[in-house]
Amino acid sequence: MLKIFVQAPGLPAPETHVFNFTSPTVARAEADAIKDSLGKAIQQAKAEGAVPAASGGSAASAAMAIASAVSSGPQIGASQDGMYDDARLQSDIDLQRSLLKANPQLSKTFTESLRTKPDSITEIQFTSQFWSSRIHLLRAHAIEKSQTRGSYNVLASIKPETKGNALRLSISKEQIQLIFNQHAVVRRAYDENVPKMNESEFWVKFFQSRLFKKLKGERITEADAKNPVLDKYLNVDDEAERAKRLMASHVPHIINIEGNEENHSQRKGNKPDFTMRPATNDRVPIIRTLNTLSEKLLSQVAPNDVDPSLPIGVDEETYNNLALQDLREDNDDDRIILNIKD
């Protein structure tokens, strides 16, 4: 699939065109050929629009009004180069204002230089010359603005304080959302018990519960206080969530070894020897909990060494090598014809 966005003059939103390639053998090659042609046309348009942008043209690069072609997601390399290309950075007035606001020393230099510039140089020419020697600052500021904080182990960062007999806790809405995203069992407990109980009361009981200790990877002891509302979620089957992650990993079934657990589970029939059984959460809770949480956090990070336009799972060449030839209906029989003459 190839999706193309075209920003026409005067329209608030870009037009979207989706092209599907149905060839069973060369669909990927056809899509790549068209994508490469569009990429060359866009780069040529950028080069032609760089001169008027530097001499006081519109605030946005003229090339961005033509087209931006992506294949089911941002392209590796091409889109990043377009975002931080010199002509676009030099013509981005909003970015320049943001940098001046964030850097008082640079703002002072800009103001003084603008005040003492010769009358023969217009303000547009001065601005272009000023930023042409500071492209690296604009690029660094653009990269800094585009960065966002990733997910983290939120339960480890929340530390309730007990003063006397009162438990004091400070938690933000962002942290609550992260808890729900990282631990589905907490979302389930919240949905089933709020608003039966007050939201503040729920969080106080949660951070005092055994469930909280289990999710942090701490060992539960008999001295820990019991909570009839939240203790019932201690034995929630983690295999259901693990199976959900396994299905979302897009591993082809033909090479998915863990997929055998779904249809040929050893939980039925004779159990394997105890030395071959995986350790339970009671033995090494901290290791298993941290490994599971790390897997969840890393799954939310987009890899920077994979082109998202490629097929999910394995590339087409590997898939074709793994495919069973005997199951293909369109294959012709490879036979040697024997002609016999009397």
Side-chain angles (χ1 to χ4, degrees):
M1 182 184 72
L2 185 65
K3 184 181 293 185
I4 300 177
F5 300 92
V6 179
Q7 180 65 59
L11 293 181
E15 298 179 359
T16 304
H17 303 274
V18 180
F19 298 89
N20 293 315
F21 299 86
T22 59
S23 174
T25 56
V26 295
R28 177 61 52 184
E30 293 176 351
D32 290 340
I34 295 179
K35 186 170 62 174
D36 293 340
S37 300
L38 286 173
K40 293 179 181 178
I42 293 173
Q43 292 298 329
Q44 183 179 359
K46 287 181 179 180
E48 295 175 354
V51 175
S55 60
S58 60
S61 174
M64 300 309 297
I66 299 177
S68 175
V70 294
S71 179
S72 65
Q75 299 178 22
I76 299 296
S79 61
Q80 296 297 325
D81 294 341
M83 289 177 59
Y84 307 127
D85 118 307
D86 292 356
R88 182 169 183 179
L89 292 172
Q90 195 171 351
S91 62
D92 194 337
I93 297 178
D94 293 335
L95 179 64
Q96 296 167 9
R97 291 175 178 173
S98 175
L99 177 57
L100 292 176
K101 186 176 180 180
N103 192 333
Q105 186 63 34
L106 182 63
S107 178
K108 182 179 179 180
T109 302
F110 178 84
T111 304
E112 289 293 330
S113 302
L114 180 62
R115 183 176 60 83
T116 59
K117 72 175 181 63
D119 295 337
S120 59
I121 299 179
T122 64
E123 185 174 343
I124 295 177
Q125 292 174 338
F126 165 78
T127 304
S128 176
Q129 293 176 5
F130 180 86
W131 291 114
S132 63
S133 61
R134 294 169 175 83
I135 292 294
H136 63 289
L137 297 178
L138 290 172
R139 183 174 291 108
H141 187 62
I143 294 174
E144 181 182 357
K145 290 184 62 178
S146 65
Q147 292 177 341
T148 56
R149 184 179 182 181
S151 185
Y152 59 95
N153 187 353
V154 61
L155 290 182
S157 64
I158 300 176
K159 301 185 183 299
E161 298 180 358
T162 303
K163 293 186 177 181
N165 295 327
L167 179 69
R168 295 187 177 183
L169 176 68
S170 177
I171 184 172
S172 63
K173 293 182 178 180
E174 177 189 0
Q175 290 174 321
I176 292 176
Q177 191 60 44
L178 282 175
I179 293 175
F180 289 158
N181 293 339
Q182 295 176 10
H183 305 284
V185 65
V186 182
R187 161 70 78 174
R188 176 180 170 183
Y190 180 88
D191 292 341
E192 293 179 356
N193 295 282
V194 178
K196 295 179 182 179
M197 69 171 66
N198 185 272
E199 183 176 1
S200 301
E201 182 184 359
F202 171 83
W203 290 115
V204 171
K205 290 185 177 180
F206 169 74
F207 287 108
Q208 293 177 329
S209 67
R210 296 185 173 190
L211 179 61
F212 174 65
K213 294 192 66 175
K214 176 188 175 183
L215 295 179
K216 285 188 66 176
E218 299 178 2
R219 188 181 299 275
I220 299 175
T221 63
E222 294 297 329
D224 295 325
K226 295 184 179 181
N227 188 313
V229 176
L230 296 177
D231 285 354
K232 61 182 180 181
Y233 299 99
L234 287 172
N235 298 323
V236 172
D237 189 8
D238 295 332
E239 291 298 325
E241 185 178 355
R242 181 176 178 274
K244 182 179 179 181
R245 296 198 308 270
L246 182 64
M247 294 298 294
S249 60
H250 302 289
V251 178
H253 294 298
I254 194 171
I255 60 175
N256 183 12
I257 299 177
E258 292 187 356
N260 294 333
E261 180 69 15
E262 210 173 296
N263 299 317
H264 303 284
S265 173
Q266 289 184 333
R267 287 176 293 184
K268 300 178 180 179
N270 296 331
K271 290 184 178 180
D273 186 73
F274 74 96
T275 58
M276 301 299 294
R277 301 175 194 172
T280 61
N281 287 334
D282 295 334
R283 295 183 183 178
V284 282
I286 184 64
I287 297 177
R288 184 179 294 274
T289 300
L290 291 180
N291 286 343
T292 303
L293 182 59
S294 299
E295 182 182 352
K296 291 180 182 179
L297 298 181
L298 290 176
S299 65
Q300 301 175 7
V301 179
N304 58 1
D305 57 346
V306 177
D307 189 348
S309 65
L310 295 178
I312 297 176
V314 296
D315 57 86
E316 293 183 2
E317 181 179 359
T318 304
Y319 177 80
N320 291 332
N321 292 335
L322 293 174
L324 299 178
Q325 302 295 332
D326 294 340
L327 299 181
R328 295 188 176 183
E329 298 179 355
D330 55 345
N331 280 355
D332 297 331
D333 293 336
D334 187 9
R335 299 177 180 177
I336 300 177
I337 301 177
L338 179 61
N339 297 322
I340 299 177
K341 297 182 179 179
D342 294 337

